[in-house]
Amino acid sequence: MNAHRHAAEDAATEPRLLGPSEIRDLAQLLDVTPTKKLGQNFVHDANTVRRIVQTAGVQAGETVLEIGPGLGSLTLGLLESGASVIAVEIDKRLAAQLPHTAAIMQPGTVLTVVTDDAMRVTELPGAPERLVANLPYNVSVPVLLHLLEHFDSLQSGIVMVQAEVGYRLAAEPGSKVYGAPSVKAAWYGDWRTAGQVSRMVFWPVPNVDSVLVGFERADAPGTEAERVATFALVDAAFQQRRKMLRQSLGTALGGGSAQATTVLETAGVDPQARGEQLTVADFLRIARAV
Ligand code: SAM
């Protein structure tokens, strides 16, 4: 009788998310020393995890894609909300442990772990509608663009990224931080920043600030071939961001600044403008005018 009562009490008070002591124990168990190369900063604060899950608007029953689950901090928060999770982790030791952690701390939940590089996956065991991730900071933009390109099922998401990357992703034309990632991200939908996250919630403490960034997918403004052509123009324009478009796009448009001026005028874009003033729709019109 007593044993039963204690077991029930334990189940009620047992932590279902990872705090500092669980993170320490797991890292010790796996003999993991977080590496900078893989952007391994693990969240050890349950409030931050619940805030991310809530900001993302995760619904019970839906399928969420998580990139870089690490020791499982955010994964457990997603599972707690009743979502099924597909988690892509490049580090084999972390990927192998994750199903065990989930089975112990969130029994009965649905988790599929894919051990792979998120920049290379082109197939997933399911069609996730939402992306929720604390991304590895050194590759967050290419990972995001790769996922949006390959997984049409993703309709929205919240990701944690380095602050300056987050502000850039959500920037509007004319802003100082508007750049190639802002234009490319805008191809896929609407982006917003969704709050800052303290450095103190990570182990180890990173030397950069973090923000949450959200997106809602919109219909692509053009075809896949047009996207490729548009992104090439975006890269050319921002490689020489101080130059006027008739110069920065001279080579990309195939005939120096005279040819570029003609194409830009056909597209209804001022040849003396700079890339930082153009929306994704402007870049697409230039691609179509070639
Ligand atoms: N989600 C965990 C958390 O919030 O504590 C860990 C986040 S940590 C910032 C980034 C994670 O991404 C690490 O677990 C790292 O091993 C993983 N990672 C790094 N590069 C990756 C890649 N190319 N593909 C998949 N996972 C990657």
Side-chain angles (χ1 to χ4, degrees):
M1 184 70 186
N2 259 354
H4 276 125
R5 193 174 53 79
H6 285 147
E9 274 174 8
D10 283 352
T13 54
E14 200 70 30
R16 288 168 58 84
L17 299 182
L18 303 178
S21 64
E22 289 82 19
I23 290 281
R24 202 174 43 237
D25 291 352
L26 270 171
Q28 225 168 38
L29 173 77
L30 300 178
D31 198 18
V32 165
T33 310
T35 73
K36 265 205 164 158
K37 188 167 160 253
L38 292 178
Q40 291 177 333
N41 299 92
F42 303 115
V43 174
H44 57 62
D45 178 56
N47 287 334
T48 301
V49 166
R50 291 206 170 102
R51 180 180 145 210
I52 296 172
V53 174
Q54 202 172 23
T55 306
V58 175
Q59 307 290 319
E62 68 182 13
T63 305
V64 172
L65 175 62
E66 185 189 2
I67 301 300
L71 294 168
S73 311
L74 183 54
T75 321
L76 293 175
L78 293 167
L79 292 171
E80 184 182 58
S81 74
S84 305
V85 177
I86 300 172
V88 180
E89 172 60 59
I90 199 170
D91 186 320
K92 293 191 177 67
R93 295 163 306 173
L94 299 177
Q97 173 60 33
L98 193 57
H100 303 295
T101 306
I104 294 166
M105 299 190 70
Q106 302 276 346
T109 52
V110 185
L111 166 69
T112 311
V113 179
V114 175
T115 310
D116 207 342
D117 180 343
M119 284 198 284
R120 293 183 196 282
V121 280
T122 51
E123 277 177 24
L124 289 170
E129 46 263 68
R130 208 184 290 278
L131 172 69
V132 186
N134 172 10
L135 290 173
Y137 286 3
N138 38 356
V139 291
S140 49
V141 171
V143 164
L144 274 173
L145 295 176
H146 175 86
L147 296 174
L148 288 164
E149 181 188 336
H150 287 92
F151 301 106
D152 288 347
S153 64
L154 289 174
Q155 289 305 310
S156 67
I158 285 281
V159 292
M160 179 144 65
V161 294
Q162 184 177 340
E164 63 185 38
V165 172
Y167 293 126
R168 195 181 285 282
L169 281 168
E172 298 287 339
S175 131
K176 263 194 188 146
V177 294
Y178 188 71
S182 333
V183 191
K184 291 180 180 178
W187 179 274
Y188 296 104
D190 302 317
W191 295 73
R192 66 188 186 284
T193 51
Q196 300 174 337
V197 178
S198 161
R199 296 181 187 201
M200 301 318 289
V201 304
F202 297 96
W203 172 75
V205 176
N207 51 14
V208 294
D209 291 319
S210 301
V211 290
L212 298 176
V213 185
F215 69 87
E216 297 292 330
R217 196 191 275 263
D219 289 341
T223 65
E224 177 58 12
E226 286 171 338
R227 181 192 67 75
V228 173
T230 302
F231 281 21
L233 292 176
V234 170
D235 286 334
F238 285 98
Q239 260 155 28
Q240 297 176 288
R241 70 180 283 143
R242 299 270 158 257
K243 291 204 173 153
M244 295 178 196
L245 290 167
R246 66 172 186 221
Q247 292 164 305
S248 61
L249 296 185
T251 309
L253 293 178
S257 79
Q259 164 77 4
T261 300
T262 309
V263 174
L264 289 162
E265 281 172 351
T266 308
V269 174
D270 179 0
Q272 300 193 39
R274 293 177 173 75
E276 63 206 32
Q277 295 162 264
L278 268 54
T279 63
V280 68
D282 295 329
F283 278 105
L284 173 58
R285 280 209 316 285
I286 303 170
R288 283 178 173 161
V290 173

